[in-house]
């Protein structure tokens, strides 16, 4: 029996729960989909076929769209190659959700903070530099002023590799962070334990929110934080939508916290957000929402191509 052509590439090396939900949602819309590792894709620029030199395993030619659920790490060359595949798909007229430009802006915490700040979106004081002497002076100055800091990997997710800098000796050595120090001022959220909000934005609209709480100071679900239903109030909605627009995201999870005085700060904008925890508390089928938005964009692109 001839297998139906796979029209949507779900880019991931670990499909898991999220991949299964996406495949089911695409199937419910009458679209076939298949998992694709960006590591397995290749360029064959002697090929004059439908792929224009880009080979996506499991597809005869090119897919109609690519849903990005993960971009593998690796060396600079390896990561660049993975992003090259996404850039090439977009150049060939394939809708990529989120596209490589959005991934690049959001995966790089320094650029994320820069774009938030230049867009006028409240985000904690942030510093990123390579000069270890300058960083040491900054840390001394912040600590002397009564501020703690959070040291984060420039490229990282799920709360891994975070260090709370309470004293000078807590600062990671340059060799432990590839020579790049990214620091944010620590924002205390009150005496009831650490907590923040994850707001899910799809197609420019904030659709759902949850409150994450932890006995520790790290509120990522992957680090053991618990998820709770939350009201998506006007402030959370506006901040999340503004952050999404500032980074040009098709979909994103925006992390927001409020300090002891109630002021809200955007901490991170996630280019490949997980939504399993949010799904459990918000009552929405988020895979269906994502797939519907992506297919709408594909349809609109086709209409525009037909008109032009």
């Amino acid at each position: 029996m001839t297998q139906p052509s796979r029209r949507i590439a779900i880019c991931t090396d670990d499909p898991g729960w999220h991949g299964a939900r996406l495949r089911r949602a695409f199937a419910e819309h009458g679209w076939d989909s298949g998992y694709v590792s960006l590591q397995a894709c290749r360029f064959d620029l002697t090929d004059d076929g439908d792929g224009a030199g880009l080979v996506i395993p499991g597809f005869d030619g090119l897919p109609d769209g690519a849903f990005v659920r993960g971009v593998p790490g690796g060396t600079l060359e390896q990561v660049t190659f993975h992003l090259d595949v996404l850039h090439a798909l977009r150049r060939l007229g394939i809708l990529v959700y989120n596209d490589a430009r959005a991934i690049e802006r959001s995966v790089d915490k320094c650029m994320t903070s820069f774009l938030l700040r230049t867009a006028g979106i409240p985000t904690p004081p942030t510093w990123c530099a390579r000069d270890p002497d300058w960083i040491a002076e900054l840390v001394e100055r912040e600590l002397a002023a009564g501020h703690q800091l959070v040291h984060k990997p420039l490229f990282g997710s799920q709360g891994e590799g975070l260090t709370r800098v309470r004293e000078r000796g807590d600062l990671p050595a340059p060799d432990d962070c590839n020579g790049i120090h990214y620091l944010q001022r620590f924002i205390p959220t009150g005496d009831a334990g650490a907590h923040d909000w994850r707001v899910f934005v799809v197609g420019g609209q904030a659709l759902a929110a949850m409150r994450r709480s932890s006995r520790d100071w790290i509120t990522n679900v992957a680090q053991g934080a618990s998820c709770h239903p939350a009201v998506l109030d006007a402030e959370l909605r506006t901040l999340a939508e503004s952050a999404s627009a500032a980074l040009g995201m098709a979909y994103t999870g925006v992390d927001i916290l409020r300090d002891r005085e109630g002021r809200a700060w955007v901490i991170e904008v996630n280019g490949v957000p997980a939504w399993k925890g949010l799904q459990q508390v918000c009552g929405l089928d988020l895979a269906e929402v994502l797939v519907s938005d992506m297919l709408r964009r594909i349809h609109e692109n086709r209409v525009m191509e037909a008109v032009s």
Side-chain angles (χ1 to χ4, degrees), residues 131-143:
D131 184 343
D133 295 331
W134 187 87
I135 287 292
E137 292 175 3
L138 162 71
V139 170
E140 293 288 356
R141 186 169 65 249
E142 283 291 295
L143 293 176

Side-chain angles (χ1 to χ4, degrees), residues 213-265:
S213 60
S214 173
R215 295 180 180 178
D216 198 0
W217 62 276
I218 299 175
T219 55
N220 296 81
V221 175
Q223 300 299 319
S226 56
C227 305
H228 309 276
V231 174
L232 183 55
D233 62 35
E235 183 179 43
L236 292 176
R237 183 185 302 276
T238 298
L239 282 177
E241 291 177 354
S242 298
S244 177
L247 271 70
M249 313 300 290
Y251 77 104
T252 183
V254 181
D255 296 340
I256 301 172
L257 59 77
R258 288 186 170 115
D259 62 23
R260 287 172 173 162
E261 287 72 42
R263 292 172 297 190
W265 306 85

Side-chain angles (χ1 to χ4, degrees), residues 18-304:
H18 292 85
R21 294 304 189 278
L22 289 171
R23 288 208 66 184
R24 184 179 66 186
F26 280 119
E28 289 174 351
H29 282 267
W31 287 66
D32 193 23
S33 61
Y35 304 130
V36 172
S37 170
L38 292 174
Q39 299 182 73
C41 298
R42 62 185 184 274
F43 289 85
D44 182 353
L45 302 181
T46 65
D47 179 14
D48 296 326
D50 295 338
L54 178 62
V55 180
I56 309 296
F59 289 81
D60 183 11
L62 295 174
D64 295 300
F67 191 108
V68 181
R69 264 302 305 155
V71 176
T75 65
L76 175 61
E77 290 84 357
Q78 290 168 339
V79 173
T80 298
F81 169 74
H82 303 150
L83 292 170
D84 284 345
V85 174
L86 300 181
H87 279 299
L89 284 168
R90 184 177 184 276
R91 180 62 181 263
L92 294 169
I94 306 304
L95 187 131
V96 182
Y97 191 93
N98 281 305
D99 67 21
R101 298 173 303 172
I103 297 294
E104 289 166 348
R105 288 187 287 259
S106 60
V107 75
D108 177 352
K109 290 184 175 62
C110 179
M111 182 53 61
T112 296
S113 296
F114 173 77
L115 292 173
L116 291 174
R117 178 65 182 270
T118 56
I121 297 168
T123 192
T126 302
W127 302 266
C128 186
R130 185 171 180 176
D131 184 343
D133 295 331
W134 187 87
I135 287 292
E137 292 175 3
L138 162 71
V139 170
E140 293 288 356
R141 186 169 65 249
E142 283 291 295
L143 293 176
H147 302 301
Q148 297 181 19
L149 298 163
V150 178
H151 189 284
K152 302 181 181 182
L154 195 62
F155 305 121
S157 62
Q158 299 186 332
E160 296 181 356
L162 304 187
T163 301
R164 187 165 167 182
V165 181
R166 297 179 172 92
E167 56 187 36
R168 177 66 180 86
D170 294 332
L171 182 69
D175 288 346
D176 294 331
C177 56
N178 294 317
I180 301 295
H181 292 282
Y182 173 92
L183 289 156
Q184 279 191 328
R185 185 176 293 170
F186 177 73
I187 307 294
T189 58
D191 299 327
H195 60 274
D196 67 2
W197 285 263
R198 163 63 64 88
V199 181
F200 210 69
V201 183
V202 180
Q205 295 186 338
L207 299 179
M210 67 176 173
R211 187 178 186 269
R212 305 184 298 186
S213 60
S214 173
R215 295 180 180 178
D216 198 0
W217 62 276
I218 299 175
T219 55
N220 296 81
V221 175
Q223 300 299 319
S226 56
C227 305
H228 309 276
V231 174
L232 183 55
D233 62 35
E235 183 179 43
L236 292 176
R237 183 185 302 276
T238 298
L239 282 177
E241 291 177 354
S242 298
S244 177
L247 271 70
M249 313 300 290
Y251 77 104
T252 183
V254 181
D255 296 340
I256 301 172
L257 59 77
R258 288 186 170 115
D259 62 23
R260 287 172 173 162
E261 287 72 42
R263 292 172 297 190
W265 306 85
V266 175
I267 302 300
E268 291 193 19
V269 182
N270 300 276
V272 188
W275 64 85
K276 186 175 182 179
L278 179 59
Q279 177 80 59
Q280 294 170 348
V281 300
C282 77
L284 288 176
D285 184 345
L286 293 173
E288 164 61 25
V289 172
L290 290 164
V291 165
S292 294
D293 184 61
M294 180 178 178
L295 295 181
R296 174 186 61 80
R297 291 167 184 253
I298 291 175
H299 174 71
E300 289 177 353
N301 286 352
R302 288 177 172 176
V303 170
M304 291 179 62

